[in-house]
Structure formats: structure tokens, C-alpha cells
């Protein structure tokens, strides 16, 4: 399967908050690089998101427990620089 072979080409750290950084923060809290890796590992086609904001709503961790997220921003400014942004 070609999707399983997708690997990032480079990585950098986020400099300021954005919707993309917020979702990456949520994936990385759950133990994944990003949405691409989550879909590969969990073999799902979609990720459950809040319709109002588009932020990730629920993720299943690798140990099969779940993380539930709020509609509002959860990645505080002091955490933004810890978020890794992968380039494919």
C-alpha cells in the first residue's frame, strides 16, 4: 500500500499559532506526527472534527484510549514552539 510509505522530507518548529498548528498539537499530544501518520496507523479515512472550528474533536491513542478535545484553542502560546511541522 503506497499510503503506508509516506515519510516526511523535513521538519521545523511552529513559530506562531494557527489552525494548522492547533491540530498538529492535538495529534502530537496523542502520540502521532500529524493527520497523515494517524490515518496510516489507525487505518481510518477521516478524523472527527468540530464543525464550528474545524479542530480535531477526538483521537485514539496508540494504547487505544481516547483523547477528547474542546471546540476552543488548547495550544497555549507557550506551547506553540514545541509543535513540529512536517513537510512531505
Amino acid at each position: 500500500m503506497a499510503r503506508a510509505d509516506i515519510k516526511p522530507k523535513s521538519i521545523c518548529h511552529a513559530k506562531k499559532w494557527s489552525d494548522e498548528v492547533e491540530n498538529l498539537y492535538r495529534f502530537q499530544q496523542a502520540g502521532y506526527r500529524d493527520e497523515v501518520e494517524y490515518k496510516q496507523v489507525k487505518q481510518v479515512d477521516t478524523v472527527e472534527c468540530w464543525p464550528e472550528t474545524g479542530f480535531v474533536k477526538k483521537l485514539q491513542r496508540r494504547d487505544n484510549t481516547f483523547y477528547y478535545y474542546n471546540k476552543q484553542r488548547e495550544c497555549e502560546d507557550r506551547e506553540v514552539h514545541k509543535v513540529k511541522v512536517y513537510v512531505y
Side-chain angles (χ1 to χ4, degrees):
M1 187 166 140
R3 276 180 61 189
D5 296 337
I6 297 174
K7 299 273 189 244
K9 293 178 183 170
S10 65
I11 179 177
C12 65
H13 288 272
K15 303 279 189 260
K16 63 180 185 175
W17 185 89
S18 68
D19 290 352
E20 178 189 11
V21 169
E22 178 67 35
N23 279 333
L24 286 171
Y25 174 78
R26 295 173 186 218
F27 282 109
Q28 290 169 20
Q29 260 196 330
Y32 303 95
R33 280 190 311 256
D34 51 22
E35 186 174 355
V36 173
E37 184 184 38
Y38 181 78
K39 288 179 175 180
Q40 288 174 354
V41 172
K42 291 298 174 188
Q43 297 178 347
V44 296
D45 291 327
T46 60
V47 176
E48 197 171 334
C49 295
W50 289 103
E52 300 88 351
T53 60
F55 296 151
V56 172
K57 183 176 186 178
K58 176 179 78 172
L59 293 173
Q60 187 174 11
R61 294 181 359 175
R62 292 177 189 264
D63 63 2
N64 292 326
T65 59
F66 287 90
Y67 270 135
Y68 295 91
Y69 298 99
N70 294 322
K71 294 178 191 174
Q72 295 85 17
R73 174 182 175 176
E74 291 195 9
C75 179
E76 298 178 21
D77 285 334
R78 64 186 172 152
E79 303 288 326
V80 169
H81 73 281
K82 298 177 185 175
V83 176
K84 298 174 184 173
V85 180
Y86 294 89
V87 178
Y88 292 89

